[in-house]
Amino acid sequence: MSKRIILTLTVLLLFVVGVLPVLSMLWKSLFVDGHFGLDAWRGLLASAHQWMLMRNSLALASLVTLFTFVLGVPLGILLGKTDLPARRFLTLLFTIPLLIPPYIVAVSWFDLLGRDGLLARGFDVSTAGIDDLLFGLPGCAFVLVSIYLPIPMLLTMIFTRAIDPRLEEAGRLVTDWRGVLRGITLPLILPGLLLSALLVFLLAFGQFSVPSFLRYAVYPVESFTQFSAFYDFDAATVAVLPLAGVALILLLAEGIFLRDRAWQALSAPASTRPLLIPLGARRRVCWVLVVLAGFFLVVVPLVVLLIQAAGAYGEAFDRAAASLSRSLAYAAIGATALTVLGFLVAYLVHAKALCCWRWVDTSTLFLFALPGTVIGIGLIGLWNRPATNWIYATPLIILFGYLAKYTVLTSRISVSQLARIPSSMEEAARIAGAGWLRRLLLIVVPLARRGLLASWLVAYLFSLRDTSITMLVYPPGHETLPVRIFTLMANGSPALIAALCVIMVAAALLPAGLLWILLAWRRPGREEGGLAG
Amino acid sequence: MADRPTSILAYTDPRWKGRAVIANPLFGTTTSQVAALFTRWGDEKARRFMRDLKKNAVRVATSNGESADFVATGQVDFSLVDSDDAVNRLRQGRPVAMVYPDQAADGLGAFIVPNAAVLIAGAPHPDAARRLIDYLLSRETERKLAFADCAQLPLHSDVPIPAEMKPIDQIRVMRVDYAEVARKMVEIQSFLKSWVGL
C-alpha cells in the first residue's frame, strides 16, 4: 500500500512541478482577454520575425549537431575503444565544458578574440574580423560545439563498451578492425549515436545564454526578452510555444524510431571488459591530435580566464560571495531532491509499478528537452499569484525548476543501476515478510548507492550551472552565481567577470572532482554494477 | 575625439553617417527616451527624426551596454546610452567620454530616467513599505547607488557622487510630463516595431 501511495505522490509531484506549468501555458495561449481565440497563434504564424527566429534557431542547432557528431563520435571511439594513452584523463578534460555554465566558454573566447581581447592587446593585431565572426552564427556554433562535444563522445564510449565483445571477436576472424568498426560496431551503436545527435540538437535549440551573449537572435533569447524587457507575458508565452512544439516532435520521433533500438546493442554483461583496438604506429599521431584538440577547446579558454582574472579575485569574492553560497546550497539541496525523486521515478519505470510508467518516463524526457525559458515562464504563469506566494517568492520556485528540468538525468541513471540489481534480492526479502519501504531502504538503496552517488553528482552539476530557469524565476535577493555573473556582464569589468567565471568553474569542478574520485575509488566490476553506462 | 556630438540631433547629421549606434528602441530606457522625444516634439517631428536615423545608417544594438561597447572598441563614434553604461566604461579605463546632450541655454536637455517606488493603496504591510521607501530615499542609499555599478544620480544636493558624473543641478534636464511619456511608450509600440523591422 505504501508503495502505491509513495509512487502516486511521486507522479503527482512531477505533474505539478513540471507538466502542469507547461499545460497551463498552452491553455492560456488559447485565450485572449479571457475569451477563447487563436489570435496569439495567428500573430505568431504571420510574423516574419518569428520565422527568422525559427530559421536561426534551426540553423544553429543543425550546425552544432553536425559538428559535435562528426568530431565527437571519432573522439569517443579513440577514448573508449582504443589503447590511446591517458584516456581517462582526456575524457575528463573534454567533459569540463559540459559541467560549467555555457556562457563562461563564450566569455572566455570573447576575452581572447574580441577587439580589446588578449590576442589584440598582446600581439598588437586587429581581431576585428574574428570578432565579427564570434558575434553571430559561426561564433555561437563554435562555442556550443566545444560545450556539447562531450555528449556524443561520452555516449559513443558508453555504447561501444556495452557491445558484446563476442560479436566483434567473430568479426575479427574475417576482417581487420576497420572492417569490424564499419560492419559491426558502428551499425550496432548507430541508433544510440542518433540519440546523442538528437540530444545535442535539442540542447542547442533551447540554448539561451550563449546566443544572448554573442548577440545571435534565436527563439529562447526572444522569449526571454519578451518577458524581461516588455513584461509581456502573453507574447513571451507564444514565443516559447514553438520551442515546445519542436521538442515534442523530435521526442515523438525518438520514441518511434530510436528508443528501444538504442539500447538493443547493449548486451554485454556489466563485468565484461570491452575489446580495445590497438592503434599501433598511429598511436602517437592520434594522441597528439587528441591532446591538441583538448588543449584548444578546453585548456585555452580556461587559461584565458585565469589570465584575464588576475588581481580581480578580491573584488569578485566581495561582490559575489553571497551568490556563491546560495548557488552551492541550492545546488546541493536540488541535487538531493533530484536524487530522491529520480530514484522513485526510476523504480516506478523499472518495475512498471503504475500503469502510467511510460507516460512518466516520456514526460521527464520531454521536460529536459524543453528550453529552460519555457519551463521558467510556465512556472511563473502558474505560481505567480497571492495564494502561492510561499512558492513563488521563495527559493522553492528554483527547486521546482530544477525538479522539472533535470529529473530525467537522475531517473535514467537510477534505472540503469536498478537494472543491474537481481530482482531475487527484493523477492527474498518480501518472502521473509519485509514491507516495500523496508525492502527499498535496506536492500535496493544500499545496492544502488553508486548509482545514487552518480545521480547526485550529475544533478548537483546541472543545478549549479543552470542559468535559463533560475534567471527567470529567482526571487529578489536569491540570485545564484551564474545569474549574478550574467547580470554583471552588462557593466562589470572584463577582469571581474573572468574572476567570477573562474570561481564558478572551481565551484563546479572541485566538488565534482572529489565525488568523482570517491566514485572511481572502487572500479566498476569489482563491486555490484557500476556507474550508469 | 576633439569634435564631439553635443546634441541628439547628431544622429541625423550627415557628418556622422554610419558612425553612430542606438540601442533597440523597443527595449528599456531607449523606449522612454524616444517616447520623451515624441512628447516634446510631437508625433510628426519625432517620427521624421526616427526615419532620418535610418537614412543616416545608424546601427541598432541589442542593449545600451552593447552600444557602449561598440563605442569603447571604436566601431562607432557615439551612442545614446544610460549614464551607468558610460560611467562603467570610464571606470574600466576605456577610451570614451560622457557627453550630456543638448545642454545649450535653449537646448532640449538630457532626458533623466526616474526610478519610482510606490506604496500601493491597500497594501498588506504599509508601514514596512513606508520604511522601505524612506530607506531608498535616504542620503546614504543615494550615495551607495551613485557609487554602485548602476551609477544612479542622487537627488539630494549634498550627497557625494563619483568623479565621472555631474550632479543633477549642473545638468540641463529635459522637461517632460512623465505620465505622458509612460502613455506615449505604449502608444508608439507599433511604430517602433515597424521601425526595427518586426
Side-chain angles (χ1 to χ4, degrees):
Chain A
M1 191 60 187
S2 61
K3 173 180 168 181
R4 200 167 185 79
I5 292 170
I6 289 174
L7 293 180
T8 304
L9 287 175
T10 301
V11 175
L12 277 177
L13 177 63
L14 194 64
F15 182 79
V16 169
V17 301
V19 179
L20 197 57
V22 179
L23 286 181
S24 81
M25 205 162 59
L26 184 65
W27 179 253
K28 277 182 189 165
S29 75
L30 300 175
F31 291 87
V32 180
D33 297 329
H35 301 287
F36 180 79
L38 297 173
D39 289 5
W41 286 90
R42 282 195 202 99
L44 182 77
L45 294 172
S47 162
H49 180 64
Q50 299 291 334
W51 289 109
M52 181 273 285
L53 290 171
M54 180 59 85
R55 200 171 54 242
N56 284 1
S57 296
L58 289 173
L60 178 62
S62 304
L63 268 181
V64 173
T65 307
L66 176 70
F67 282 101
T68 49
F69 193 80
V70 167
L71 296 172
V73 173
L75 192 59
I77 288 173
L78 279 171
L79 295 175
K81 194 70 189 158
T82 70
D83 59 352
L84 198 76
R87 297 190 301 279
R88 200 178 182 82
F89 168 76
L90 289 168
T91 305
L92 281 173
L93 181 72
F94 279 104
T95 308
I96 287 174
L98 190 62
L99 307 181
I100 58 180
Y103 66 79
I104 287 181
V105 182
V107 169
S108 174
W109 284 110
F110 172 66
D111 283 347
L112 179 66
L113 303 174
R115 284 166 200 258
D116 265 358
L118 292 177
L119 196 62
R121 280 183 279 143
F123 297 93
D124 199 21
V125 292
S126 169
T127 54
I130 305 174
D131 184 272
D132 289 344
L133 282 176
L134 191 61
F135 285 93
L137 180 61
C140 250
F142 169 71
V143 168
L144 290 180
V145 165
S146 71
I147 291 165
Y148 295 134
L149 184 65
I151 293 175
M153 179 195 86
L154 290 171
L155 284 177
T156 302
M157 291 170 70
I158 290 168
F159 281 108
T160 51
R161 283 177 184 180
I163 291 175
D164 190 338
R166 287 171 300 185
L167 296 171
E168 290 173 328
E169 280 167 349
R172 286 286 290 122
L173 294 176
V174 292
T175 182
D176 61 6
W177 263 112
R178 199 174 298 176
V180 172
L181 276 178
R182 235 188 350 249
I184 296 174
T185 312
L186 289 176
L188 275 174
I189 66 169
L190 185 61
L193 298 183
L194 293 177
L195 191 66
S196 77
L198 179 72
L199 195 58
V200 170
F201 186 93
L202 287 169
L203 288 171
F205 190 73
Q207 237 298 316
F208 155 72
S209 61
V210 171
S212 173
F213 180 75
L214 295 177
R215 303 165 195 156
Y216 186 59
V218 291
Y219 253 118
V221 177
E222 169 75 1
S223 58
F224 180 81
T225 305
Q226 288 287 351
F227 184 80
S228 61
F230 292 133
Y231 304 107
D232 187 339
F233 193 82
D234 292 338
T237 302
V238 170
V240 297
L241 287 171
L243 293 170
V246 170
L248 189 63
I249 290 168
L250 288 173
L251 283 182
L252 284 174
E254 185 265 345
I256 294 167
F257 298 111
L258 291 178
R259 183 170 301 176
D260 295 332
R261 292 179 200 177
W263 301 98
Q264 275 171 3
L266 306 186
S267 51
S271 57
T272 309
R273 285 191 171 277
L275 292 183
L276 292 184
I277 305 169
L279 290 172
R282 289 184 296 269
R283 193 166 180 238
R284 183 168 296 184
V285 176
C286 290
W287 189 79
V288 169
L289 286 175
V290 171
V291 168
L292 280 177
F295 180 78
F296 180 66
L297 293 175
V298 185
V299 177
V300 167
L302 293 179
V303 170
V304 165
L305 283 179
L306 287 170
I307 294 172
Q308 187 79 308
Y313 291 106
E315 188 189 355
F317 273 112
D318 280 350
R319 300 182 67 162
S323 305
L324 175 63
S325 309
R326 270 192 296 274
S327 272
L328 296 174
Y330 295 169
I333 294 167
T336 307
L338 278 163
T339 304
V340 174
L341 182 65
F343 179 75
L344 290 170
V345 168
Y347 189 94
L348 166 67
V349 171
H350 174 68
K352 300 181 175 60
L354 296 175
C355 59
C356 60
W357 69 271
R358 192 180 283 276
W359 173 86
V360 172
D361 189 39
T362 306
S363 297
T364 56
L365 189 59
F366 172 64
L367 290 168
F368 182 69
L370 278 182
T373 44
V374 181
I375 292 177
I377 290 172
L379 286 169
I380 294 166
L382 186 64
W383 300 109
N384 183 14
R385 53 199 76 226
T388 52
N389 228 23
W390 58 278
I391 294 171
Y392 183 68
T394 67
L396 259 183
I397 192 78
I398 299 175
L399 184 64
F400 276 28
Y402 293 163
L403 292 178
K405 176 93 174 154
Y406 303 123
T407 295
V408 72
L409 299 172
T410 51
S411 72
R412 291 287 166 109
I413 292 171
S414 295
V415 162
S416 73
Q417 194 69 26
L418 288 174
R420 296 171 183 223
I421 298 173
S423 57
S424 55
M425 301 269 191
E426 209 187 329
E427 283 164 10
R430 188 168 58 187
I431 291 166
W436 178 74
L437 209 53
R438 198 175 163 83
R439 297 199 305 270
L440 196 72
L441 293 176
L442 298 181
I443 293 175
V444 182
V445 167
L447 286 173
R449 65 183 181 279
R450 284 181 62 87
L452 290 173
L453 203 52
S455 287
W456 193 93
L457 177 59
V458 169
Y460 169 82
L461 290 169
F462 274 80
S463 302
L464 189 70
R465 76 198 274 281
D466 182 82
T467 311
S468 54
I469 298 176
T470 318
M471 176 86 87
L472 281 164
V473 303
Y474 78 90
H478 290 277
E479 87 275 16
T480 57
L481 187 56
V483 172
R484 179 89 175 122
I485 299 173
F486 203 78
T487 49
L488 276 173
M489 278 181 193
N491 281 322
S493 71
L496 172 67
I497 301 303
L500 288 166
C501 288
V502 171
I503 293 170
M504 184 71 231
V505 172
L509 296 188
L510 288 181
L514 288 174
L515 272 172
W516 190 287
I517 291 167
L518 197 64
L519 282 167
W521 183 47
R522 296 180 72 183
R523 296 274 181 86
R526 291 181 189 170
E527 205 175 358
E528 76 297 329
L531 279 178
Chain B
M1 188 171 53
D3 189 15
R4 291 172 184 162
T6 56
S7 165
I8 194 160
L9 292 174
Y11 267 121
T12 55
D13 186 336
R15 276 171 61 205
W16 306 102
K17 187 163 187 173
R19 298 300 308 161
V21 63
I22 190 168
N24 189 331
L26 274 171
F27 305 137
T29 51
T30 312
T31 316
S32 320
Q33 169 80 46
V34 173
L37 294 177
F38 270 75
T39 65
R40 284 299 306 266
W41 288 341
D43 285 9
E44 193 184 329
K45 184 177 174 184
R47 282 170 194 258
R48 192 165 59 243
F49 171 75
M50 294 300 287
R51 281 193 288 270
D52 288 347
L53 246 66
K54 276 196 166 172
K55 283 183 196 160
N56 221 27
V58 169
R59 292 171 69 173
V60 178
T62 55
S63 65
N64 284 320
E66 186 182 317
S67 292
D69 284 335
F70 282 162
V71 178
T73 52
Q75 296 178 66
V76 291
D77 292 336
F78 71 91
S79 175
L80 178 74
V81 294
D82 297 333
S83 50
D84 64 317
D85 300 297
V87 166
N88 281 288
R89 269 68 192 177
L90 287 166
R91 286 176 186 169
Q92 290 167 22
R94 303 294 190 95
V96 296
M98 181 155 59
V99 176
Y100 293 84
D102 299 295
Q103 296 296 294
D106 57 346
L108 191 60
F111 178 64
I112 302 294
V113 184
N115 289 326
V118 293
L119 173 53
I120 298 169
H125 306 293
D127 291 335
R130 272 188 210 99
R131 280 203 299 278
L132 172 65
I133 291 172
D134 288 343
Y135 169 75
L136 291 174
L137 295 178
S138 69
R139 287 178 168 76
E140 179 54 17
T141 304
E142 283 208 316
R143 188 193 65 76
K144 284 181 183 170
L145 289 171
F147 283 89
D149 281 346
C150 54
Q152 305 283 291
L153 266 176
L155 297 180
H156 289 110
S157 57
D158 54 346
V159 172
I161 59 169
E164 301 90 357
M165 296 162 69
K166 275 188 191 176
I168 193 160
D169 53 12
Q170 291 180 25
I171 302 170
R172 181 176 177 78
V173 172
M174 189 190 291
R175 301 286 166 197
V176 288
D177 176 345
Y178 284 100
E180 197 189 341
V181 171
R183 278 192 296 276
K184 193 56 89 173
M185 281 171 67
V186 178
E187 192 185 308
I188 62 175
Q189 278 296 310
S190 58
F191 168 75
L192 293 178
K193 279 188 178 175
S194 68
W195 188 85
V196 296
L198 297 184

